[in-house]
């Protein structure tokens, strides 16, 4: 029943984007039907799992795209050269290739939603790793817990916070939300 596959890096990415699309669709912000999209975990770009998945997409005959973490350490930092090449020259059958502006998906989460779901006080910055309130990097176990609860965190965020937490720095117009623009682009292909 799915007619569009979006390859993402991890299970938390798939769950977050599924829930974000559902929330935005319910609010009427997008008409992209969540039931038509399959967010498929395939690992980071450049690994064997990703390469095998992209080769199979041609055989399946579905429209497909990619959403990838930028891994940028700070705003304006360039993408890695192999990543720049792939994002500017994706496989011909890839209809959408989106590189998140921020470091990772977790940089789009809302700190209050993380607190509500897991009881963790975190500082979510646009770039870099999630930090505790004292500015100390979170323990790996805490980061793993946040990733495991990505769907729940997104659900608590709701459509409004998904839009606000994905705005570029200094922008207040929710129509400029990176996640909304990404979904609009997917819908138009």
């Amino acid at each position: 029943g799915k007619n569009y596959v979006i390859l993402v890096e991890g299970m938390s990415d798939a769950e977050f984007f599924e829930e974000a699309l559902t929330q935005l669709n319910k609010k009427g912000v997008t008409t992209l039907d969540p039931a038509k999209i399959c967010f498929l975990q395939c690992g980071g770009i450049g690994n064997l799992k990703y390469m095998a998945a992209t080769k199979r997409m041609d055989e399946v005959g579905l429209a497909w795209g990619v959403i990838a973490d930028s891994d940028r350490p700070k705003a304006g930092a360039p993408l890695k050269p192999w990543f720049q090449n792939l994002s500017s020259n994706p496989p011909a059958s890839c209809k959408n290739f989106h590189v998140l502006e921020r470091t990772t998906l977790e940089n789009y989460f809302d700190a209050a939603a993380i607190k509500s779901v897991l009881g963790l006080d975190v500082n979510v910055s646009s770039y870099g790793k999630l930090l505790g309130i004292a500015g100390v990097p979170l323990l790996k176990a805490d980061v793993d817990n946040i990733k495991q609860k990505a769907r729940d965190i997104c659900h608590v965020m709701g459509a409004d916070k998904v839009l606000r937490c994905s705005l570029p720095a200094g922008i207040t117009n929710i129509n400029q939300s990176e996640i909304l623009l990404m979904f609009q682009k997917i819908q138009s292909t």
Side-chain angles (χ1 to χ4, degrees):
K2 309 283 185 184
N3 62 3
Y4 202 103
V5 175
I6 303 293
L7 303 177
V8 296
E9 292 189 29
M11 185 54 71
S12 61
D13 299 74
E15 291 177 353
F16 181 89
F17 287 124
E18 285 172 0
E19 184 63 26
L21 180 56
T22 299
Q23 294 287 330
L24 295 174
N25 181 272
K26 281 182 185 176
K27 186 165 174 90
V29 178
T30 182
T31 58
L32 182 59
D33 184 356
K36 303 281 186 189
I37 308 295
C38 176
F39 293 95
L40 182 63
Q41 172 190 358
C42 74
I45 292 178
N47 75 25
L48 183 58
K49 192 174 182 183
Y50 169 81
M51 291 184 281
T54 59
K55 297 283 185 204
R56 301 297 295 196
M57 288 298 142
D58 290 334
E59 294 174 25
V60 174
L62 293 174
W64 67 283
V66 173
I67 301 172
D69 292 344
S70 72
D71 297 332
R72 288 183 174 108
K74 61 182 181 179
L79 296 172
K80 295 173 184 165
W82 61 268
F83 202 69
Q84 283 179 331
N85 183 45
L86 188 57
S87 65
S88 62
N89 192 21
S93 59
C94 178
K95 304 299 179 200
N96 247 309
F97 194 97
H98 185 86
V99 179
L100 294 173
E101 172 59 32
R102 299 178 187 172
T103 309
T104 67
L105 178 62
E106 292 78 28
N107 297 108
Y108 295 84
F109 289 8
D110 177 66
I114 294 171
K115 174 82 171 173
S116 174
V117 172
L118 292 166
L120 291 173
D121 287 315
V122 299
N123 179 7
V124 180
S125 61
S126 294
Y127 296 88
K129 296 180 180 193
L130 299 181
L131 302 173
I133 293 301
V136 177
L138 293 177
L139 298 173
K140 182 181 181 328
D142 289 335
V143 174
D144 290 346
N145 284 337
I146 290 169
K147 289 179 178 185
Q148 289 173 353
K149 295 293 185 177
R151 183 184 308 275
D152 297 338
I153 291 167
C154 186
H155 184 78
V156 169
M157 288 173 66
D160 291 334
K161 284 195 178 173
V162 166
L163 293 170
R164 281 197 300 268
C165 290
S166 64
L167 288 173
I171 303 294
T172 57
N173 180 347
I174 62 167
N175 292 321
Q176 298 304 308
S177 156
E178 182 179 359
I179 290 176
L180 177 60
L181 293 172
M182 179 180 64
F183 288 151
Q184 288 172 340
K185 186 177 175 190
I186 290 168
Q187 187 170 13
S188 69
T189 55

